[in-house]
Amino acid sequence: MPDLGSIEFKWPFMLWALGVWPLWMGWRWWRHRGSSVLAQGWRPAAGHSLTRRVLEAASLGLLLLALARPQAVVLQPMRDAAVMLVMDVSVSMKADDVKPNRLDAARDAARYFIHTKPGLLQVGIVAVGGTATLAQVPTLQREDLLLAIDDLSWQNGSALGTGVLIALDTLLPKAGIDAQKIIDDANDAKPRPGPPGAAVNPTPPVAKNPSDPPRDPQQQPTPEGANKAIILITDGEGNMGPTLSAMADLAAKHQVRVHVIGVGTPQGAIVRDKGVSTRTQLEEEGLRKVALNTRGEYRRAEDVTQFKRLYDDLGRRMKFEKRGVSEITHLLGCMGMALGLLAAALGLSRAGHLA
């Protein structure tokens, strides 16, 4: 399908032909008015006559517009598309400034996203607390994703940067991202033993379930990071592992957009855990920078309804991809001829002539 907002014309000078349209409309009106005064026999009902004239006008308009050879960016259903939900499960997500609490609201909205996601969109889940865990590899199977959401549990600490890193490594298994080295360097720790270049925690294959459609080996490779995205759901309070900003730069390098949903309110709320009370607030400034640096979007969600609207918007954006500029003259021409034939058939069936 063409992106109507991107239409341009190869022969823009032919747009002058559209001047014929009001002249033809005036002539048709004058002729119909004269014939209605002189006619003595059967005349078509006003409704059918009006419908036929509207179809004729639309047909002529499309055919005249086709003379200018319009072209537009063509949108096609995404292939090999995948999204990672990176969900913050740190203790700060217990805050109840989003009801019933931040994590439960995010969990409910994630279920909604999974139920309504485009059919060809693979979704994976990373849980982020003191460590980042790949809770579900990207899959088309909604049941597996829902089970992974249900299994999320609270953790101390918040390694948001590690969560984005694990999501990147899962989305781009052939990109050469050494996740363990990045984590070790960030923690200023010695590398774990093993042969040089060996992956300590190799990324599992993307297709986990036998019912997932097989990849076409003849399919042309897409640019690195194309059709991939990360949705980070967090209150922004990261305090462990690689920094979130550094991992956002890594995502931008690989052309993976990070869309950020900030959970909570700037006023925040009191969180009580193990006898300790702490005020936790939504830290928006850093989250906005992550989205900006990766050409993603930042949105604040203060209730489940806002979550669902954000997911709907992101789902629509991920349903189609741009495939370059293509001429659509034939589409307009075919539509114009189809409407003209329909108008002619209506005239013949009601009045026995084309006038």
Side-chain angles (χ1 to χ4, degrees):
M1 61 179 297
D3 179 5
L4 299 182
S6 66
I7 291 181
E8 298 178 349
F9 299 93
K10 284 189 174 181
W11 293 351
F13 60 90
M14 291 300 295
L15 292 174
W16 287 103
L18 290 173
V20 174
W21 192 82
L23 296 177
W24 180 84
M25 289 291 293
W27 174 78
R28 285 290 287 160
W29 175 83
W30 174 82
R31 184 181 179 190
H32 175 74
R33 182 184 180 191
S35 62
S36 63
V37 172
L38 298 175
Q40 299 295 325
W42 182 87
R43 288 184 298 167
H48 294 299
S49 179
L50 178 61
T51 300
R52 189 177 71 250
R53 289 199 296 272
V54 170
L55 290 173
E56 291 173 348
S59 172
L60 180 62
L62 288 173
L63 292 174
L64 291 173
L65 197 61
L67 294 176
R69 298 184 63 184
Q71 55 185 4
V73 173
V74 177
L75 302 179
Q76 295 181 353
M78 278 190 172
R79 299 285 178 181
D80 202 32
V83 174
M84 295 298 298
L85 296 179
V86 179
M87 302 190 64
D88 188 348
V89 297
S90 61
V91 172
S92 64
M93 293 289 284
K94 287 184 176 182
D96 60 0
D97 50 351
V98 178
K99 302 299 181 183
N101 59 61
R102 294 175 183 176
L103 179 59
D104 285 344
R107 203 193 319 249
D108 289 342
R111 293 189 187 101
Y112 171 81
F113 176 72
I114 290 166
H115 280 299
T116 59
K117 73 179 183 68
L120 294 178
L121 181 65
Q122 296 190 84
V123 177
I125 300 170
V126 173
V128 181
T131 60
T133 305
L134 182 60
Q136 174 61 54
V137 296
T139 179
L140 301 178
Q141 303 305 310
R142 290 180 171 88
E143 294 79 7
D144 292 345
L145 293 166
L146 293 173
L147 286 174
I149 292 293
D150 292 339
D151 288 342
L152 295 178
S153 58
W154 309 105
Q155 294 183 28
N156 290 319
S158 182
L160 294 180
T162 305
V164 172
L165 174 61
I166 297 301
L168 275 175
D169 193 25
T170 305
L171 288 173
L172 307 174
K174 298 181 180 179
I177 298 174
D178 192 339
Q180 190 61 59
K181 183 178 185 304
I182 294 173
I183 295 171
D184 288 341
D185 289 346
N187 294 331
D188 195 23
K190 294 181 180 180
R192 296 185 183 181
V200 176
N201 293 313
T203 302
V206 171
K208 173 186 175 182
N209 298 285
S211 54
D212 283 346
R215 309 266 180 129
D216 182 2
Q218 301 300 324
Q219 184 178 354
Q220 293 297 320
T222 56
E224 190 175 25
N227 302 344
K228 314 291 183 183
I230 295 172
I231 301 178
L232 175 61
I233 305 117
T234 179
D235 54 19
E237 296 189 352
N239 55 17
M240 301 177 70
T243 65
L244 182 56
S245 61
M247 295 304 97
D249 292 341
L250 183 62
K253 175 183 175 181
H254 290 283
Q255 306 172 36
V256 176
R257 298 191 183 195
V258 180
H259 303 286
V260 184
I261 298 178
V263 189
T265 62
Q267 297 76 24
I270 301 295
V271 174
R272 294 176 176 83
D273 182 63
K274 298 179 180 180
V276 178
S277 297
T278 307
R279 173 168 290 277
T280 174
Q281 297 172 301
L282 173 61
E283 298 183 357
E284 290 191 285
E285 183 178 356
L287 299 180
R288 291 182 185 277
K289 290 180 179 179
V290 168
L292 179 64
N293 291 347
T294 61
R295 298 194 303 155
E297 294 188 12
Y298 172 78
R299 304 284 186 87
R300 183 202 301 173
E302 298 184 1
D303 56 51
V304 175
T305 302
Q306 288 180 319
F307 264 115
K308 292 179 178 179
R309 285 200 298 266
L310 300 180
Y311 280 136
D312 284 338
D313 184 45
L314 291 175
R316 283 191 296 269
R317 290 172 181 269
M318 295 170 186
K319 192 171 183 177
F320 296 100
E321 61 181 337
K322 296 182 178 181
R323 286 291 194 181
V325 177
S326 177
E327 188 168 343
I328 58 173
T329 301
H330 61 291
L331 294 178
L332 268 64
C334 289
M335 290 172 59
M337 288 188 289
L339 292 178
L341 290 173
L342 185 59
L346 186 61
L348 287 172
S349 65
R350 295 293 178 180
H353 55 79
L354 299 177

